[in-house]
Amino acid sequence: MAQFPPPDFVQTDSAIVGIEVYMPAPEPDIAPQGVVDFKCPQCGATTAYSVADGGICCEHCGYYESPTREVVGKGAQEFEFKVETLERAAVGWGAQRKELVCENCQAHTSIPVEMLTYTCPFCGSNKVIQRDAAQDVLRPRFLIPFQVTLEGCQVVARQWLGSSWMVPKDLQRLAHVTDFVPIYLPFWTFDAVTTADWRAQVAHTVTERYRSGGEWKTRTRTVWRWESGNVRRLFDDLLIAGTERLSRVLIDRLIHFDLTHLTPYDPNYLAGIRAQAYDVSLEPAWAEARDAMREDTRRACRAQASNSRMRNFTMNLDFAEETWRYVLLPVYVGLFTYANQTFQVMVNGQTAAIAGQRPVDWTKVWLAIGGLLAPGVILGIIGLVTAILGIGVIIGVIGLVLFVIGAIIAFFIYQKAEGMDDV
Amino acid sequence: MSEHVLPQTELEAWGTDVQVVVCETCDWRFVLPAETSLPRCPHCFGTELELLSGEVSELPYVAPPEQAVPFAVSEAQLTGGIETFAKGIPLPPKDLNPAALRARLQAIYLPRWWVDAEVAALWQAEVGFDYEVVSHQERYSDTVGGWQARKVHEGRVRWEPRAGRLRRTYENVMAPALEAEKALRAQFGDYDVTRARPYHVDMVRRAPVRLPDRVPAVAWADAEMALRRRAGDECRQAAKGDHIREYRWQPAYPKRNWTLLLLPAYTTYYLDDEQRPQPVLIHGQTGRVIGMRKASLKRAQRIALILGLMALIIFVLSSISLLAVAVAPPLLVLGGIGLLVGMVLGLSALAPLIVVWRFNRPRRRPQER
Ligand SMILES: [Zn+2]
Ligand SMILES: [Zn+2]
């Protein structure tokens, strides 16, 4: 004890008279610092986060603040499922933000206080109610900053709009209408180790010889043999979306984020960018993650059996080393209208992966389906007509084969087309 | 060697005229009222007890104790304990009987240091805080057709560094005042010191008080260890923690005060084969009896000798009758039986020796005196 109190220690309460207690100074809490003003220190205009290098850049006077990016990646602190955490949520956002509730789609969006005009990024409606963001939510501790620029996003989107033959021809021309909004979406990451032991009766086929009517014959029979085993699975950073406001289908297509770029939360990253607070809270998200983990473990257990045919399968599963993280991940949300219909597009702000709804030119689709089925139908008719001549059977069979193949392909095309505009 | 005079003021503080006696054999020292006398040393049972007066080579600590744990063993408990002790010994020495043990019962007080210290220290430690996490255990069964989940709470400890300053006074910190205390406590069990009462003159009238043979300078290391334990626990409480580890401190002791706590015990003895007194100690609070239970090898030898002699006589007589078979043939039967009986008797003469040897052997642990 060369120095007293030790460096970075501060005095704290003591329960006993005559004993002073010092503890390491708690890390500065972002929450109580009040309003963080994202005003340019030079001209007073609202500054914005610059995607190009992660700094703060003023559009008005050119003031520039270099980035203070510190990447913690997958080493970002993980939290245990403390009873108290689950029971009592922590304080709200770092900087004071306002929450907007869309009257049209009920989405809750958190925006910086200085942002005055606003339309809902999810449905495009401007019927929004402004209110102070709820403070009884857990605070995000880490995020992945935007790495795709708005321009880059537009390029990706334009390519994507023209990348399918099923969309209307003039759709690509409308691409400029699409207005992308960067938004941080809430995600939960979960880690756990599962250990399981299982037991089941597995089917084994045995061949046996027996004598019947003075002759040796063989027959096969199924015998059920008990098998058992154990499995240990490690789950690292399983991502679960913290919002139900956006299409789960779209989010699942975009969810492949590279978490090695996780950065400690800093309100600066949210300068001029919207962020959504979670509406799927920790417990339901964890239940969803656990469900995925236990199903994965169950598959691993079943895969250990010597045959996939089994009965009376039972397993006991124990979760251990469970941890969670609340992170914000960058996504561009875009909307475009075509033929008086609104379509949603999302671009992964880190990897530029794109997913969204596209209008389908059903004429093209039906034509294609018709084209696929036609050879089979025609050959079938020819077969019927020529049946009297005797060669019709062969033609009819070929026609049937072609029809079946055509129908299968047509079914997939139809399914894809359905999926494109209805997500 | 400097010569000291017994401090009269401290002796007067006992509340009655007291004398200090020393056993010439074992060097134990006792304080007892001047009007009483000890026939034997309550420790080694030697008879040469001398009055310690005038000039002594080393000044003993003779101030009266601060507190004493009262004797709390009932007569019935005492009798029962002694009887159990004397029971179940094969061929016990003649002197090992409840009546003799009872008659020689001598109450004594054993000392323990009872230190008050003012401590000023800087400390550092890791304090542990208990918390609970929620985990899950699940079971899947085809027949049930799904998962059954069970939520479990698991206790964990979060360790955090703490440091601080301490200025407290600790009272009644204990340290051994007798060299033999540690070994004695291991056999005897500890005392419930919360029952201690302030010293009263009746206490020294009731039983002689053994004086410490471990000076404060030596006992301080133990006291300091106890202080460290207490301070560590208080620092844990001060930091509102549930556990503490890696406790380090730099203590200073502006004030220290040494007094004694007295612990009640009874001693008695029996004389073994060699007529040496074998001590028996009784816990003055729990009634627990400790001492070496020895069977008498002498008695065993005597019985073995008698049996052996009898066997020899029978053997000789049988041999003679066998020699006379030619004269009187029926003597063959008598001689044969006699020979057999003699052999059996001769062998059984070994039995008491084996029994005593086996009884004494596993119990032969080094005994504290
Ligand atoms: Zn500016
Ligand atoms: Zn003695």
Side-chain angles (χ1 to χ4, degrees):
Chain A
M1 257 178 277
Q3 189 189 345
F4 188 86
D8 302 325
F9 271 52
V10 291
Q11 194 166 3
T12 180
D13 296 351
S14 168
I16 287 186
V17 181
I19 300 182
E20 290 171 21
V21 182
Y22 287 76
M23 65 183 286
E27 282 183 20
D29 209 356
I30 323 166
Q33 75 188 67
V35 181
V36 172
D37 218 347
F38 293 112
K39 292 279 192 280
C40 169
Q42 198 163 298
C43 75
T46 303
T47 58
Y49 169 76
S50 159
V51 174
D53 70 346
I56 298 281
C57 173
C58 177
E59 295 165 359
H60 298 263
C61 68
Y63 169 81
Y64 174 76
E65 204 181 299
S66 60
T68 49
R69 183 180 293 186
E70 175 205 349
V71 177
V72 287
K74 292 182 82 81
Q77 192 192 350
E78 290 165 339
F79 300 88
E80 293 172 300
F81 286 91
K82 283 185 200 167
V83 174
E84 55 176 11
T85 313
L86 293 170
E87 281 171 357
R88 178 192 58 85
V91 278
W93 296 81
Q96 191 187 335
R97 293 172 79 87
K98 279 209 157 60
E99 192 175 56
L100 291 151
V101 183
C102 174
E103 287 194 309
N104 190 37
C105 74
Q106 299 302 313
H108 292 235
T109 313
S110 141
I111 56 155
V113 268
E114 60 273 0
M115 205 173 268
L116 295 173
T117 55
Y118 185 69
T119 50
C120 175
F122 304 116
C123 70
S125 162
N126 53 11
K127 284 182 193 164
V128 288
I129 304 163
Q130 223 184 73
R131 64 177 197 201
D132 285 336
Q135 296 290 299
D136 60 341
V137 288
L138 295 173
R139 202 151 24 91
R141 299 295 189 111
F142 304 98
L143 53 75
I144 295 177
F146 275 91
Q147 280 154 36
V148 176
T149 59
L150 204 55
E151 294 74 33
C153 185
Q154 294 277 8
V155 171
V156 170
R158 198 169 295 124
Q159 274 173 1
W160 173 75
L161 282 170
S163 68
S164 174
W165 60 268
M166 287 188 236
V167 299
K169 238 184 179 168
D170 54 355
L171 182 64
Q172 211 167 359
R173 282 194 289 118
L174 291 161
H176 69 278
V177 183
T178 310
D179 205 9
F180 280 100
V181 176
I183 182 165
Y184 281 108
L185 290 184
F187 281 89
W188 302 101
T189 76
F190 295 105
D191 282 11
V193 175
T194 60
T195 46
D197 49 77
W198 63 272
R199 207 172 124 81
Q201 282 181 302
V202 182
H204 289 262
T205 311
V206 289
T207 312
E208 46 186 26
R209 274 160 68 80
Y210 67 103
R211 228 174 141 78
S212 165
E215 266 181 78
W216 281 102
K217 290 182 180 172
T218 57
R219 65 180 169 200
T220 57
R221 198 162 64 83
T222 299
V223 292
W224 298 93
R225 287 188 196 139
W226 281 106
E227 284 184 19
S228 63
N230 48 65
V231 157
R232 182 183 152 88
R233 306 279 289 172
L234 268 75
F235 297 93
D236 183 34
D237 290 329
L238 186 76
L239 271 177
I240 299 287
T243 177
E244 277 178 334
R245 305 289 170 207
L246 290 160
S247 152
R248 274 319 259 283
V249 181
L250 292 189
I251 288 180
D252 284 347
R253 285 187 205 161
L254 291 179
I255 210 162
H256 303 288
F257 285 93
D258 179 5
L259 293 179
T260 55
H261 289 97
L262 277 178
T263 306
Y265 176 87
D266 183 330
N268 274 6
Y269 286 115
L270 272 70
I273 297 177
R274 286 152 204 180
Q276 193 177 0
Y278 62 84
D279 49 68
V280 176
S281 64
L282 181 58
E283 285 230 64
W286 174 223
E288 192 184 331
R290 256 191 351 260
D291 189 52
M293 289 173 181
R294 68 190 187 186
E295 284 305 322
D296 178 279
T297 311
R298 187 163 72 101
R299 276 193 296 277
C301 285
R302 292 185 75 100
Q304 275 188 349
S306 58
N307 189 334
S308 61
R309 249 181 89 208
M310 61 185 88
R311 63 183 191 191
N312 292 328
F313 176 86
T314 55
M315 65 179 279
N316 290 309
L317 192 159
D318 209 349
F319 282 93
E321 290 162 47
E322 307 101 312
T323 55
W324 60 273
R325 246 190 247 135
Y326 173 27
V327 298
L328 292 180
L329 301 180
V331 163
Y332 284 99
V333 178
L335 291 167
F336 64 92
T337 48
Y338 179 82
N340 291 325
Q341 262 188 292
T342 309
F343 296 89
Q344 202 176 57
V345 188
M346 286 167 69
V347 176
N348 184 318
Q350 183 191 25
T351 65
I354 187 164
Q357 298 165 299
R358 277 178 287 186
V360 175
D361 189 339
W362 284 103
T363 327
K364 279 191 200 172
V365 174
W366 287 122
L367 273 173
I369 291 172
L372 279 164
L373 298 178
V377 173
I378 292 163
L379 277 181
I381 293 165
I382 294 172
L384 269 173
V385 171
T386 55
I388 331 134
L389 301 174
I391 52 161
V393 181
I394 298 157
I395 297 171
V397 168
I398 294 169
L400 189 73
V401 170
L402 285 179
F403 184 79
V404 169
I405 293 169
I408 291 169
I409 299 170
F411 176 74
F412 282 115
I413 289 173
Y414 178 79
Q415 225 185 12
K416 205 180 169 200
E418 274 281 286
M420 268 172 95
D421 71 345
D422 186 36
V423 240
Chain B
M1 247 196 252
S2 59
E3 302 277 295
H4 298 277
V5 178
L6 280 177
Q8 282 308 309
T9 48
E10 288 178 8
L11 287 175
E12 278 159 18
W14 286 79
T16 180
D17 260 356
V18 289
Q19 52 176 335
V20 181
V21 294
V22 59
C23 168
E24 292 287 283
T25 321
C26 69
D27 207 33
W28 275 38
R29 291 165 181 187
F30 301 91
V31 169
L32 62 157
E35 67 270 16
T36 54
S37 64
L38 274 174
R40 275 171 183 270
C41 166
H43 172 242
C44 69
F45 311 99
T47 47
E48 289 171 64
L49 286 158
E50 299 235 332
L51 196 65
L52 192 74
S53 62
E55 287 163 354
V56 282
S57 59
E58 198 189 329
L59 190 67
Y61 180 94
V62 290
E66 189 182 323
Q67 296 199 14
V69 174
F71 282 90
V73 184
S74 68
E75 284 295 312
Q77 231 182 322
L78 216 50
T79 312
I82 288 170
E83 275 170 1
T84 315
F85 178 81
K87 219 160 51 188
I89 305 169
L91 307 173
K94 246 202 199 102
D95 203 42
L96 208 182
N97 60 75
L101 288 169
R102 201 57 229 264
R104 292 166 188 155
L105 215 55
Q106 169 70 55
I108 60 160
Y109 279 116
L110 299 173
R112 185 180 282 178
W113 289 117
W114 192 239
V115 191
D116 298 339
E118 194 181 313
V119 185
L122 291 181
W123 62 275
Q124 218 169 27
E126 275 180 45
V127 177
F129 300 89
D130 284 337
Y131 67 95
E132 279 197 321
V133 296
V134 175
S135 184
H136 290 81
Q137 285 169 358
E138 316 212 7
R139 187 178 158 75
Y140 180 88
S141 167
D142 265 351
T143 46
V144 179
W147 291 94
Q148 288 166 291
R150 196 159 66 93
K151 202 186 249 191
V152 284
H153 283 205
E154 284 170 8
R156 300 210 180 148
V157 181
R158 182 181 72 252
W159 294 98
E160 289 181 13
R162 290 288 185 275
R165 246 191 300 254
L166 172 148
R167 190 163 192 114
R168 304 260 306 156
T169 299
Y170 293 96
E171 289 187 341
N172 306 338
V173 172
M174 286 184 281
L178 297 178
E179 293 294 346
E181 184 180 312
K182 212 176 140 192
L184 194 65
R185 199 187 319 184
Q187 286 186 302
F188 221 24
D190 205 0
Y191 285 84
D192 177 8
V193 298
T194 59
R195 306 224 169 249
R197 299 279 169 274
Y199 170 75
H200 187 268
V201 66
D202 286 348
M203 289 169 175
V204 73
R205 288 196 180 120
R206 161 117 208 228
V209 175
R210 162 86 160 97
L211 288 181
D213 62 0
R214 210 159 173 264
V215 292
V218 177
W220 173 241
D222 296 292
E224 199 176 18
M225 235 152 69
L227 276 168
R228 187 176 177 279
R229 256 198 311 278
R230 265 213 226 174
D233 193 58
E234 282 199 347
C235 288
R236 174 192 62 76
Q237 289 174 41
K240 296 165 194 154
D242 302 295
H243 313 272
I244 194 160
R245 67 182 185 193
E246 306 276 328
Y247 186 78
R248 281 174 295 159
W249 72 341
Q250 289 176 339
Y253 306 96
K255 237 186 257 167
R256 276 181 265 183
N257 182 31
W258 291 80
T259 55
L260 287 177
L261 168 73
L262 299 183
L263 306 169
Y266 294 96
T267 63
T268 182
Y269 68 95
Y270 66 89
L271 297 171
D272 64 9
D273 281 351
E274 285 81 38
Q275 297 302 303
R276 280 184 318 219
Q278 287 292 333
V280 177
L281 218 58
I282 301 166
H283 196 293
Q285 204 176 26
T286 65
R288 187 162 173 187
V289 183
I290 57 164
M292 193 130 66
R293 297 164 80 214
K294 273 165 98 180
S296 169
L297 195 63
K298 263 193 183 154
R299 279 183 69 184
Q301 282 166 346
R302 208 173 307 137
I303 293 167
L305 195 70
I306 291 164
L307 286 173
L309 277 173
M310 277 164 69
L312 193 71
I313 292 163
I314 293 170
F315 188 78
V316 169
L317 288 174
S318 308
S319 304
I320 293 166
S321 49
L322 279 179
L323 285 173
V325 163
V327 189
L331 279 177
L332 179 68
V333 182
L334 197 70
I337 291 170
L339 216 59
L340 217 68
V341 169
M343 270 165 73
V344 170
L345 213 60
L347 279 173
S348 67
L350 290 173
L353 292 172
I354 292 167
V355 166
V356 166
W357 175 76
R358 284 197 49 179
F359 182 81
N360 286 351
R361 218 185 107 147
R363 282 166 181 78
R364 226 167 244 281
R365 270 181 268 132
Q367 194 78 32
E368 269 317 315
R369 301 214 158 182

